[in-house]
Amino acid sequence: MPVETPPRIPFRKRPAPKNPESRWRTISQERIYGQRLLEAIKHARNSSQPSRISSSRTIKEAADSALALTAKGQTRWSRAILSRRWQKRKLWLKAGGKIRRCSGTRRLEKPAPSLSLSAAPQPRKKTAEKVGDRLRVLGRLVPGCRKLSTASLLEEAADYMAALEMQVKAMRTLADLLSATTLDSTVESRTT
Amino acid sequence: MGAGNNGEFGLEQRNLDCQSFGVSPQFEKVGEMTMNSDSFFVTSWDPIVSMVEDIGCKGSMGSHHQTDLAPYDVGMLGSPSHLVEYPSGAGFGKLTQRWEGSDHGMPNLEHRPISDDRNVGSSPTGNKRKRMPESHTIDSPSQLDSIQKDVPHAATESSKERDEKKQKSEQNPSASTRKLTSKQARDHSKNGDSPNEDYIHVRARRGQATNSHSLAERVRREKISERMKFLQDLVPGCNKITGKAVMLDEIINYVQSLQRQVEFLSMKLAAVNPELNFNIERILSKEILYSQGGGSAVLGFCHGMNTSHPDLNAPIQGAIQSEMGICSIENSRNMLKATNSQFSAMAQIPNVWDGELQGIVQMGFGFNIPPDSHELHGRMKAEL
């Protein structure tokens, strides 16, 4: 299965936005994503040096990229993920692999933005401000959607949520299978 | 040709003579659109003139984006009474077009009413592309026709206007509040500029403000609430929540939890990855193929899973087939046959990790593994 990884994703005028439910919840999509996920993990395993400590992040990035690829670049967050990945790759190539990984800390790694802090200084915030705060937080959560209008932000968030659900389902299946296999093998190795 | 320039142009007096329209009206404000002709026929309408010079008395003015008058010429020309009527009621809201008293006569005649109409068409929408019945008293059906006709053409008018209208550039068929004002507009928009027709026609509802700003605001709000409702369906357990703030809270929590799950699972996968290398062979020889429905998905997976794995260990195949009797699910049989054929092309030992992964995912993907899988005799295992 060919995996398309273009160095730059051409921005076309977006076709009619599809229903996130129909896009992400079909079995065929899951299948496609699963294949991509496998390839990505394989690739990550092979290419990344074993000395790298946070291989979990490699896998996570691979999974995210696979997810973004499955989105076919129709959504903003998918484009943001893919462009982030390619930027990182370019950096690595330029520096000859000397860039430390922690330079690419994602905002997601930060402690989750808490709403209580923002509400503390003014206990009596108007409802509109609260909504605005939360919209900003949501914009930070969805990749590539910080400065986006409310309507498009909500749309991107819906698509992103559906995609994340599928990703979690796929990864959980994979992890369960693998861990079950591992357990079995270890048990057998002990008994034999 | 006509009698030459008439200084006064009561529209009642308008005749189809080209030279009778020596001076073109200048439309400044809505309120000024009276039949006092003096205010109308003032100055130049450069685009028209340039067009006229280019094309002469032809109807097609496609060269100028502002004066896309082609289809209307004949129609307009044919009904002077038409011309008489419409300015009276129509508001020329933000008309900045100017007319030129030209010597060209006929073309002027053609253009001016058309541009009038077009302006009229654009004016009710102003920048917002809406029909505001209160502000425009349309007296005659012919007026309405002319105005409606202009709608699709105004769509191609100017990119500037289009930018202004960009906020409503979506034409969402599911939104029920967007109504075309008349069938004719719809038809014409279909005929004319259906690919370009991005605009949303909104009619002010009864008892609601008809200010263009508030209409735009309402459209925007409805878009947002529609999307919030959709999100509500997406997030589990948010059926009873009312209010944007609480809903957004839930959405944020859910997205954060999903992201955390992804991180956790990726850690888990990273941990599981290296261990399997050591026990592959054993796994291969002893694992049981097991499937529980979702066969079509897995079948698809099998077919898609085409890697460079030439061999398959014969004992595994034997193991598979012996176990097939145990897990007697119909889907599994079909799937296993397919997977067997796949397997026969798989599994170099060095690359066994990859193959196993694929086998695993083949089996397990597309359907859920029961959490108590340990208790089952056969489990979802990789079969290579």
Side-chain angles (χ1 to χ4, degrees), chain A residues 1 13-14 17 19-21 25 27 30-31 33-35 37-39 41-42 45-46 55-57 59-60 63-64 108-109 112-113 115 127 130-131 134-135 137-138 141-143 150-152 154-155 157-162 164-165 167-186 188-189 192, chain B residues 170 198 220 223-224 227-228 230-231 233-236 244-246 248-249 251-252 254-256 258-263 265-270 272-277 279 282-283 286-287 296-301 303-307 309 353-354 356-358 360-369 373-374 379-382:
Chain A
M1 177 199 70
K13 192 171 183 188
R14 199 157 44 122
N19 188 7
E21 301 243 349
R25 292 192 171 170
I27 289 189
E30 251 192 84
R31 199 186 318 147
Y33 175 63
Q35 291 169 354
L37 180 65
L38 266 181
E39 298 251 358
I41 292 187
K42 248 195 297 174
R45 253 191 81 256
N46 295 338
S55 60
S56 65
R57 196 183 298 182
I59 291 195
K60 182 184 171 218
D64 283 344
L108 297 174
E109 304 293 342
L115 296 168
T127 318
K130 283 185 194 165
V131 172
R134 287 171 172 121
L135 282 173
V137 168
L138 190 59
L141 280 180
V142 182
T150 307
S152 356
L154 292 177
E155 193 179 339
D159 200 65
Y160 186 57
M161 257 198 323
L164 273 183
E165 281 177 11
Q167 185 182 21
V168 164
K169 194 168 159 196
M171 289 177 75
R172 180 176 293 145
T173 312
L174 192 58
D176 280 348
L177 276 173
L178 288 180
S179 61
T181 311
T182 314
L183 274 172
D184 228 22
S185 65
T186 51
E188 288 164 3
S189 62
T192 56
Chain B
E170 277 185 353
D198 292 337
R220 179 181 157 268
K223 239 203 259 183
I224 289 180
R227 300 211 169 131
M228 292 283 300
F230 184 72
L231 277 170
D233 294 335
L234 217 51
V235 178
K244 278 197 226 168
V246 187
L248 280 174
D249 252 349
I251 291 173
I252 287 176
Y254 188 60
V255 170
Q256 280 176 354
L258 282 177
Q259 283 174 342
R260 263 181 266 133
Q261 276 179 1
V262 167
E263 284 188 45
L265 282 171
S266 70
M267 266 199 309
K268 200 171 170 192
L269 276 175
V272 165
N273 253 356
E275 294 177 0
L276 280 167
N277 272 333
N279 298 314
R282 219 160 269 166
I283 296 166
K286 291 182 185 177
E287 288 316 320
S296 60
V298 177
L299 268 177
F301 216 120
H303 290 303
M305 185 209 77
N306 232 350
T307 65
H309 294 287
W353 162 246
D354 305 333
E356 172 181 325
L357 254 188
Q358 286 160 3
I360 290 172
V361 186
Q362 269 186 35
M363 298 310 116
F365 205 46
F367 40 86
N368 292 327
I369 305 167
S373 59
H374 295 270
R379 267 185 268 168
M380 299 268 213
K381 291 291 153 67

Side-chain angles (χ1 to χ4, degrees), chain B residues 21-42:
Chain B
F21 299 92
V23 186
S24 331
Q26 178 181 14
F27 303 112
E28 298 183 27
K29 284 189 220 168
V30 178
E32 290 181 4
M33 288 305 113
T34 62
M35 298 311 290
N36 297 333
S37 53
D38 290 348
S39 59
F40 291 163
F41 310 100
V42 177

Side-chain angles (χ1 to χ4, degrees), chain B residues 74-283:
Chain B
V74 180
M76 289 307 127
L77 280 177
S79 56
S81 60
H82 177 94
L83 301 172
V84 173
E85 293 175 11
Y86 81 83
S88 62
F92 298 94
K94 295 173 189 180
L95 298 171
T96 54
Q97 309 267 345
R98 293 157 146 243
W99 293 79
E100 166 141 295
S102 77
D103 309 324
H104 304 268
M106 280 310 278
N108 222 10
L109 173 66
E110 297 173 44
H111 306 324
R112 188 190 342 161
I114 294 165
S115 64
D116 262 348
D117 292 339
R118 192 169 43 71
N119 292 336
V120 166
S122 67
S123 68
T125 64
N127 295 334
K128 306 293 182 185
R129 233 39 205 134
K130 296 186 191 99
R131 297 256 166 258
M132 290 168 280
E134 282 81 346
S135 52
H136 306 286
T137 60
I138 295 167
D139 296 337
S140 69
S142 62
Q143 266 183 347
L144 190 57
D145 293 355
S146 65
I147 292 170
Q148 302 298 349
K149 277 183 204 165
D150 285 324
V151 166
H153 270 267
T156 55
E157 247 183 20
S158 63
S159 55
K160 189 173 49 174
E161 273 191 291
R162 202 168 285 191
D163 290 341
E164 291 170 321
K165 294 163 192 174
K166 220 178 192 179
Q167 36 181 328
K168 288 179 292 300
S169 58
E170 277 185 353
Q171 189 157 24
N172 193 344
S174 66
S176 55
T177 56
R178 298 179 189 122
K179 303 164 193 159
L180 291 177
T181 53
S182 77
K183 278 187 185 171
Q184 287 164 336
R186 206 181 303 136
D187 292 342
H188 278 280
S189 65
K190 274 181 193 165
N191 296 337
D193 307 88
S194 42
N196 293 336
E197 187 57 73
D198 292 337
Y199 304 111
I200 297 166
H201 305 280
V202 178
R203 182 180 282 271
R205 286 192 278 226
R206 185 187 169 86
Q208 287 178 337
T210 56
N211 189 14
S212 67
H213 292 292
S214 52
L215 275 177
E217 187 58 33
R218 188 179 338 127
V219 167
R220 179 181 157 268
R221 262 181 280 146
E222 280 166 355
K223 239 203 259 183
I224 289 180
S225 68
E226 175 193 337
R227 300 211 169 131
M228 292 283 300
K229 268 184 236 160
F230 184 72
L231 277 170
Q232 207 171 15
D233 294 335
L234 217 51
V235 178
C238 281
N239 306 326
K240 300 176 185 172
I241 297 182
T242 49
K244 278 197 226 168
V246 187
M247 189 60 222
L248 280 174
D249 252 349
E250 287 296 316
I251 291 173
I252 287 176
N253 286 338
Y254 188 60
V255 170
Q256 280 176 354
S257 81
L258 282 177
Q259 283 174 342
R260 263 181 266 133
Q261 276 179 1
V262 167
E263 284 188 45
F264 172 71
L265 282 171
S266 70
M267 266 199 309
K268 200 171 170 192
L269 276 175
V272 165
N273 253 356
E275 294 177 0
L276 280 167
N277 272 333
F278 312 126
N279 298 314
I280 294 296
E281 294 184 37
R282 219 160 269 166
I283 296 166

